[in-house]
Amino acid sequence: MDWQTSEDTVPSAPVTEADARLLLGRPPATGAWRDGDPVGERRFARFGAFTTEGGAALPGIRLAYETWGELSPARDNAVLVLHALTGDSHVRGDAGPGHPTDGWWGDVVGPGAAIDTDRWFVVAPNMLGGCQGSTGPSSIAPDGYEWASRFPFLTIRDQVAAQVMLADALGVDAWAAVVGGSMGGMHALEWAVGHPERVERLAVLCSPPTTTADQVALNSVQLEAISIDPRFAGGSYYDAGDGNGPHRGLALARRMALLNYRTPTELNARFQRSWQSGKSPLGHGGRYAVESYLDFHGNRFTRRFDANSYITLVEAMNSHDVGRSRGGVDDALARVTARTLVLGVDSDRLFPVEGQHRIARGIRTTIDEETVVLASDFGHDGFLIETAAVGAHLRRLLDT
């Protein structure tokens, strides 16, 4: 059903009464996948002790992942697909037990699709620190309680280090391609810079070489929205009953984020100044349709995500700087040897195309002379919505 599809992957639309009725129940304290929940299509890889860049230690970690296609005898057809901030390993497939939403890129990955699973062995992990099966704040620590706010600070490089462990466990010495958009593009770029010998092709979609001060500032107000929710309780909310978790702060953070993911053009065209109902918003208690749209998707988000994981992942995204301790961005990008596609969206106000231009200028092995810039009214989410155009460019990369 449409309501089960992630809001990131579809155009904005007014909220119907039927939509609203679906969220009448109280949201759980956390929308995280927990041990004992239906596994769905997940697989799990477990590893021993893991030390972060900052020196914090986890006694063991687990990555949830999904795969499609078959690994060739030569192990040379593996493609790593990396999700965005609030995505997960469920790239394709229906919503159902264990999976709160439909696959977020089902038009791009699959039999006969741009990333053709009849040809490629596709692997999609849930990133370390996430809340859909990989070790994160909602996971149980050795003392029998959730890690919660005790979970260590992670960087993009930490998350890629965990993905390297997964590649080793799968017997993949080199990826035929590493593909990522948004935060997943940060991971993909880090793979190609930090492990150039293990990446043959690279696709960086709507992602920057560094997280800028402006982007950190936008992230900071989202994190504050969560932390000031009294029911956040310093991160110790997992025993709270339905409706008593930090859903208001998490929903507000999501509403803020959605404004960065979409564009004025789309929101103005879709909603104009329409009302949500017959009740006037001009002093009579009614609401504008766009307000209800943001509320609905913010509230729905709380049923599939975890507040502590949101903080952990946003802070990891803030850490992103491929030039850190590598002589700067240009020196870091010069390390890339993979055949590379760099793609941006002209209306992206979260990660504007200037960032993609800098990546394309710095990598000497791009398949185009400059960044591929898609014209779209959907802003940052264009890489998830404009699947025909994105898929066509991914086919070009994979055919090189």
mmCIF file of all heavy atoms in Angstrom, residues 242-272:
data_model
loop_
_atom_site.group_PDB
_atom_site.id
_atom_site.type_symbol
_atom_site.label_atom_id
_atom_site.label_comp_id
_atom_site.label_asym_id
_atom_site.label_seq_id
_atom_site.Cartn_x
_atom_site.Cartn_y
_atom_site.Cartn_z
ATOM 1 N N ASP A 242 3.935 2.643 25.046
ATOM 2 C CA ASP A 242 3.537 3.305 23.812
ATOM 3 C C ASP A 242 3.018 4.710 24.110
ATOM 4 O O ASP A 242 2.219 4.916 25.035
ATOM 5 C CB ASP A 242 2.448 2.504 23.098
ATOM 6 C CG ASP A 242 2.967 1.205 22.502
ATOM 7 O OD1 ASP A 242 4.196 0.979 22.564
ATOM 8 O OD2 ASP A 242 2.149 0.427 21.987
ATOM 9 N N GLY A 243 3.500 5.661 23.340
ATOM 10 C CA GLY A 243 3.097 7.048 23.520
ATOM 11 C C GLY A 243 3.923 7.809 24.524
ATOM 12 O O GLY A 243 3.772 9.027 24.659
ATOM 13 N N ASN A 244 4.816 7.114 25.236
ATOM 14 C CA ASN A 244 5.608 7.766 26.274
ATOM 15 C C ASN A 244 7.087 7.866 25.928
ATOM 16 O O ASN A 244 7.912 8.183 26.796
ATOM 17 C CB ASN A 244 5.435 7.030 27.610
ATOM 18 C CG ASN A 244 4.040 7.194 28.164
ATOM 19 O OD1 ASN A 244 3.481 8.281 28.118
ATOM 20 N ND2 ASN A 244 3.458 6.106 28.660
ATOM 21 N N GLY A 245 7.443 7.580 24.681
ATOM 22 C CA GLY A 245 8.807 7.763 24.215
ATOM 23 C C GLY A 245 8.991 9.144 23.612
ATOM 24 O O GLY A 245 8.073 9.968 23.606
ATOM 25 N N PRO A 246 10.168 9.429 23.080
ATOM 26 C CA PRO A 246 10.474 10.768 22.558
ATOM 27 C C PRO A 246 9.941 10.993 21.144
ATOM 28 O O PRO A 246 10.634 11.534 20.279
ATOM 29 C CB PRO A 246 11.998 10.803 22.599
ATOM 30 C CG PRO A 246 12.399 9.384 22.355
ATOM 31 C CD PRO A 246 11.353 8.542 23.050
ATOM 32 N N HIS A 247 8.698 10.594 20.897
ATOM 33 C CA HIS A 247 8.184 10.657 19.538
ATOM 34 C C HIS A 247 7.965 12.092 19.063
ATOM 35 O O HIS A 247 8.086 12.375 17.877
ATOM 36 C CB HIS A 247 6.890 9.843 19.407
ATOM 37 C CG HIS A 247 5.786 10.288 20.293
ATOM 38 N ND1 HIS A 247 5.667 9.841 21.595
ATOM 39 C CD2 HIS A 247 4.745 11.123 20.077
ATOM 40 C CE1 HIS A 247 4.597 10.388 22.138
ATOM 41 N NE2 HIS A 247 4.027 11.168 21.241
ATOM 42 N N ARG A 248 7.656 12.998 19.968
ATOM 43 C CA ARG A 248 7.425 14.386 19.531
ATOM 44 C C ARG A 248 8.729 15.022 19.046
ATOM 45 O O ARG A 248 8.766 15.677 18.013
ATOM 46 C CB ARG A 248 6.813 15.205 20.667
ATOM 47 C CG ARG A 248 5.404 14.752 21.055
ATOM 48 C CD ARG A 248 4.760 15.705 22.042
ATOM 49 N NE ARG A 248 4.518 17.016 21.448
ATOM 50 C CZ ARG A 248 4.032 18.048 22.126
ATOM 51 N NH1 ARG A 248 3.767 17.932 23.421
ATOM 52 N NH2 ARG A 248 3.831 19.209 21.518
ATOM 53 N N GLY A 249 9.814 14.817 19.787
ATOM 54 C CA GLY A 249 11.095 15.382 19.368
ATOM 55 C C GLY A 249 11.603 14.744 18.097
ATOM 56 O O GLY A 249 12.109 15.440 17.199
ATOM 57 N N LEU A 250 11.460 13.423 17.978
ATOM 58 C CA LEU A 250 11.920 12.730 16.779
ATOM 59 C C LEU A 250 11.081 13.137 15.570
ATOM 60 O O LEU A 250 11.623 13.350 14.479
ATOM 61 C CB LEU A 250 11.854 11.218 16.991
ATOM 62 C CG LEU A 250 12.337 10.342 15.830
ATOM 63 C CD1 LEU A 250 13.787 10.658 15.486
ATOM 64 C CD2 LEU A 250 12.183 8.861 16.170
ATOM 65 N N ALA A 251 9.770 13.264 15.749
ATOM 66 C CA ALA A 251 8.913 13.687 14.646
ATOM 67 C C ALA A 251 9.259 15.102 14.203
ATOM 68 O O ALA A 251 9.267 15.402 13.000
ATOM 69 C CB ALA A 251 7.447 13.604 15.060
ATOM 70 N N LEU A 252 9.567 15.980 15.146
ATOM 71 C CA LEU A 252 9.937 17.351 14.784
ATOM 72 C C LEU A 252 11.248 17.370 14.023
ATOM 73 O O LEU A 252 11.398 18.104 13.027
ATOM 74 C CB LEU A 252 10.041 18.205 16.047
ATOM 75 C CG LEU A 252 10.427 19.674 15.839
ATOM 76 C CD1 LEU A 252 9.477 20.370 14.878
ATOM 77 C CD2 LEU A 252 10.471 20.407 17.189
ATOM 78 N N ALA A 253 12.210 16.565 14.449
ATOM 79 C CA ALA A 253 13.480 16.479 13.720
ATOM 80 C C ALA A 253 13.241 16.011 12.290
ATOM 81 O O ALA A 253 13.839 16.534 11.343
ATOM 82 C CB ALA A 253 14.434 15.531 14.442
ATOM 83 N N ARG A 254 12.368 15.031 12.119
ATOM 84 C CA ARG A 254 12.060 14.526 10.780
ATOM 85 C C ARG A 254 11.378 15.596 9.931
ATOM 86 O O ARG A 254 11.666 15.725 8.744
ATOM 87 C CB ARG A 254 11.172 13.289 10.903
ATOM 88 C CG ARG A 254 10.778 12.671 9.567
ATOM 89 C CD ARG A 254 11.994 12.213 8.793
ATOM 90 N NE ARG A 254 11.614 11.426 7.627
ATOM 91 C CZ ARG A 254 12.460 10.949 6.732
ATOM 92 N NH1 ARG A 254 13.753 11.181 6.880
ATOM 93 N NH2 ARG A 254 12.046 10.237 5.707
ATOM 94 N N ARG A 255 10.486 16.361 10.528
ATOM 95 C CA ARG A 255 9.823 17.434 9.774
ATOM 96 C C ARG A 255 10.850 18.464 9.301
ATOM 97 O O ARG A 255 10.784 18.946 8.160
ATOM 98 C CB ARG A 255 8.771 18.099 10.649
ATOM 99 C CG ARG A 255 7.533 17.230 10.883
ATOM 100 C CD ARG A 255 6.706 17.727 12.045
ATOM 101 N NE ARG A 255 6.177 19.057 11.815
ATOM 102 C CZ ARG A 255 5.624 19.802 12.763
ATOM 103 N NH1 ARG A 255 5.543 19.352 14.009
ATOM 104 N NH2 ARG A 255 5.157 21.003 12.468
ATOM 105 N N MET A 256 11.792 18.816 10.160
ATOM 106 C CA MET A 256 12.852 19.744 9.757
ATOM 107 C C MET A 256 13.650 19.178 8.595
ATOM 108 O O MET A 256 13.977 19.880 7.635
ATOM 109 C CB MET A 256 13.789 20.012 10.937
ATOM 110 C CG MET A 256 13.176 20.752 12.097
ATOM 111 S SD MET A 256 14.366 20.842 13.468
ATOM 112 C CE MET A 256 13.407 21.718 14.712
ATOM 113 N N ALA A 257 13.983 17.887 8.686
ATOM 114 C CA ALA A 257 14.784 17.258 7.642
ATOM 115 C C ALA A 257 14.050 17.246 6.312
ATOM 116 O O ALA A 257 14.651 17.502 5.254
ATOM 117 C CB ALA A 257 15.155 15.838 8.057
ATOM 118 N N LEU A 258 12.749 16.954 6.337
ATOM 119 C CA LEU A 258 11.990 16.894 5.087
ATOM 120 C C LEU A 258 12.032 18.218 4.339
ATOM 121 O O LEU A 258 12.015 18.244 3.106
ATOM 122 C CB LEU A 258 10.538 16.502 5.374
ATOM 123 C CG LEU A 258 10.274 15.026 5.640
ATOM 124 C CD1 LEU A 258 8.823 14.816 6.068
ATOM 125 C CD2 LEU A 258 10.572 14.186 4.404
ATOM 126 N N LEU A 259 12.088 19.317 5.052
ATOM 127 C CA LEU A 259 12.162 20.618 4.386
ATOM 128 C C LEU A 259 13.482 20.781 3.634
ATOM 129 O O LEU A 259 13.552 21.520 2.653
ATOM 130 C CB LEU A 259 11.999 21.742 5.415
ATOM 131 C CG LEU A 259 10.618 21.830 6.061
ATOM 132 C CD1 LEU A 259 10.599 22.920 7.117
ATOM 133 C CD2 LEU A 259 9.542 22.077 5.010
ATOM 134 N N ASN A 260 14.531 20.100 4.105
ATOM 135 C CA ASN A 260 15.803 20.134 3.388
ATOM 136 C C ASN A 260 15.832 19.143 2.231
ATOM 137 O O ASN A 260 16.607 19.311 1.287
ATOM 138 C CB ASN A 260 16.955 19.802 4.348
ATOM 139 C CG ASN A 260 17.120 20.823 5.445
ATOM 140 O OD1 ASN A 260 16.954 22.014 5.212
ATOM 141 N ND2 ASN A 260 17.437 20.374 6.643
ATOM 142 N N TYR A 261 15.010 18.089 2.315
ATOM 143 C CA TYR A 261 15.032 17.061 1.279
ATOM 144 C C TYR A 261 14.226 17.465 0.047
ATOM 145 O O TYR A 261 14.475 16.945 -1.037
ATOM 146 C CB TYR A 261 14.450 15.745 1.816
ATOM 147 C CG TYR A 261 15.197 15.137 2.973
ATOM 148 C CD1 TYR A 261 14.578 14.209 3.799
ATOM 149 C CD2 TYR A 261 16.519 15.482 3.244
ATOM 150 C CE1 TYR A 261 15.261 13.630 4.867
ATOM 151 C CE2 TYR A 261 17.192 14.918 4.308
ATOM 152 C CZ TYR A 261 16.564 13.992 5.119
ATOM 153 O OH TYR A 261 17.225 13.429 6.171
ATOM 154 N N ARG A 262 13.237 18.326 0.221
ATOM 155 C CA ARG A 262 12.370 18.730 -0.891
ATOM 156 C C ARG A 262 12.632 20.188 -1.258
ATOM 157 O O ARG A 262 13.540 20.829 -0.734
ATOM 158 C CB ARG A 262 10.903 18.488 -0.517
ATOM 159 C CG ARG A 262 10.585 17.006 -0.249
ATOM 160 C CD ARG A 262 10.965 16.146 -1.458
ATOM 161 N NE ARG A 262 10.797 14.720 -1.204
ATOM 162 C CZ ARG A 262 9.691 14.036 -1.475
ATOM 163 N NH1 ARG A 262 8.636 14.636 -1.987
ATOM 164 N NH2 ARG A 262 9.644 12.741 -1.236
ATOM 165 N N THR A 263 11.825 20.757 -2.146
ATOM 166 C CA THR A 263 12.081 22.098 -2.661
ATOM 167 C C THR A 263 10.846 22.978 -2.522
ATOM 168 O O THR A 263 9.711 22.485 -2.475
ATOM 169 C CB THR A 263 12.457 22.052 -4.146
ATOM 170 O OG1 THR A 263 11.299 21.649 -4.912
ATOM 171 C CG2 THR A 263 13.605 21.107 -4.407
ATOM 172 N N PRO A 264 11.036 24.320 -2.496
ATOM 173 C CA PRO A 264 9.884 25.227 -2.521
ATOM 174 C C PRO A 264 9.007 24.998 -3.745
ATOM 175 O O PRO A 264 7.781 25.078 -3.664
ATOM 176 C CB PRO A 264 10.532 26.607 -2.542
ATOM 177 C CG PRO A 264 11.892 26.420 -1.962
ATOM 178 C CD PRO A 264 12.316 25.044 -2.383
ATOM 179 N N THR A 265 9.636 24.700 -4.881
ATOM 180 C CA THR A 265 8.873 24.495 -6.115
ATOM 181 C C THR A 265 7.876 23.356 -5.949
ATOM 182 O O THR A 265 6.688 23.491 -6.286
ATOM 183 C CB THR A 265 9.823 24.180 -7.284
ATOM 184 O OG1 THR A 265 10.695 25.291 -7.473
ATOM 185 C CG2 THR A 265 9.047 23.918 -8.569
ATOM 186 N N GLU A 266 8.348 22.221 -5.416
ATOM 187 C CA GLU A 266 7.443 21.085 -5.270
ATOM 188 C C GLU A 266 6.371 21.351 -4.224
ATOM 189 O O GLU A 266 5.178 21.116 -4.465
ATOM 190 C CB GLU A 266 8.224 19.828 -4.871
ATOM 191 C CG GLU A 266 7.349 18.578 -4.902
ATOM 192 C CD GLU A 266 7.811 17.461 -3.996
ATOM 193 O OE1 GLU A 266 8.745 17.670 -3.213
ATOM 194 O OE2 GLU A 266 7.201 16.379 -4.067
ATOM 195 N N LEU A 267 6.760 21.867 -3.059
ATOM 196 C CA LEU A 267 5.780 22.080 -2.001
ATOM 197 C C LEU A 267 4.735 23.117 -2.418
ATOM 198 O O LEU A 267 3.539 22.942 -2.158
ATOM 199 C CB LEU A 267 6.485 22.519 -0.718
ATOM 200 C CG LEU A 267 7.412 21.479 -0.070
ATOM 201 C CD1 LEU A 267 8.064 22.052 1.180
ATOM 202 C CD2 LEU A 267 6.665 20.198 0.261
ATOM 203 N N ASN A 268 5.177 24.188 -3.060
ATOM 204 C CA ASN A 268 4.220 25.216 -3.493
ATOM 205 C C ASN A 268 3.267 24.683 -4.546
ATOM 206 O O ASN A 268 2.066 24.973 -4.526
ATOM 207 C CB ASN A 268 4.965 26.435 -4.029
ATOM 208 C CG ASN A 268 5.711 27.190 -2.940
ATOM 209 O OD1 ASN A 268 5.361 27.099 -1.765
ATOM 210 N ND2 ASN A 268 6.739 27.927 -3.318
ATOM 211 N N ALA A 269 3.789 23.871 -5.465
ATOM 212 C CA ALA A 269 2.938 23.329 -6.520
ATOM 213 C C ALA A 269 1.961 22.299 -5.971
ATOM 214 O O ALA A 269 0.796 22.242 -6.394
ATOM 215 C CB ALA A 269 3.806 22.714 -7.618
ATOM 216 N N ARG A 270 2.413 21.473 -5.041
ATOM 217 C CA ARG A 270 1.570 20.398 -4.521
ATOM 218 C C ARG A 270 0.488 20.906 -3.578
ATOM 219 O O ARG A 270 -0.633 20.432 -3.572
ATOM 220 C CB ARG A 270 2.424 19.369 -3.774
ATOM 221 C CG ARG A 270 3.411 18.640 -4.642
ATOM 222 C CD ARG A 270 2.781 17.455 -5.328
ATOM 223 N NE ARG A 270 3.739 16.843 -6.256
ATOM 224 C CZ ARG A 270 3.464 15.808 -7.013
ATOM 225 N NH1 ARG A 270 2.263 15.270 -6.973
ATOM 226 N NH2 ARG A 270 4.374 15.319 -7.837
ATOM 227 N N PHE A 271 0.849 21.867 -2.721
ATOM 228 C CA PHE A 271 -0.052 22.253 -1.644
ATOM 229 C C PHE A 271 -0.645 23.646 -1.788
ATOM 230 O O PHE A 271 -1.726 23.910 -1.248
ATOM 231 C CB PHE A 271 0.685 22.145 -0.299
ATOM 232 C CG PHE A 271 1.178 20.763 -0.003
ATOM 233 C CD1 PHE A 271 2.517 20.433 -0.165
ATOM 234 C CD2 PHE A 271 0.318 19.781 0.431
ATOM 235 C CE1 PHE A 271 2.984 19.157 0.111
ATOM 236 C CE2 PHE A 271 0.768 18.497 0.715
ATOM 237 C CZ PHE A 271 2.100 18.189 0.543
ATOM 238 N N GLN A 272 0.087 24.531 -2.463
ATOM 239 C CA GLN A 272 -0.328 25.927 -2.564
ATOM 240 C C GLN A 272 -0.723 26.436 -1.179
ATOM 241 O O GLN A 272 0.011 26.234 -0.226
ATOM 242 C CB GLN A 272 -1.439 26.049 -3.601
ATOM 243 C CG GLN A 272 -1.011 25.563 -4.983
ATOM 244 C CD GLN A 272 -2.072 25.684 -6.018
ATOM 245 O OE1 GLN A 272 -2.883 26.608 -6.013
ATOM 246 N NE2 GLN A 272 -2.091 24.745 -6.957
#
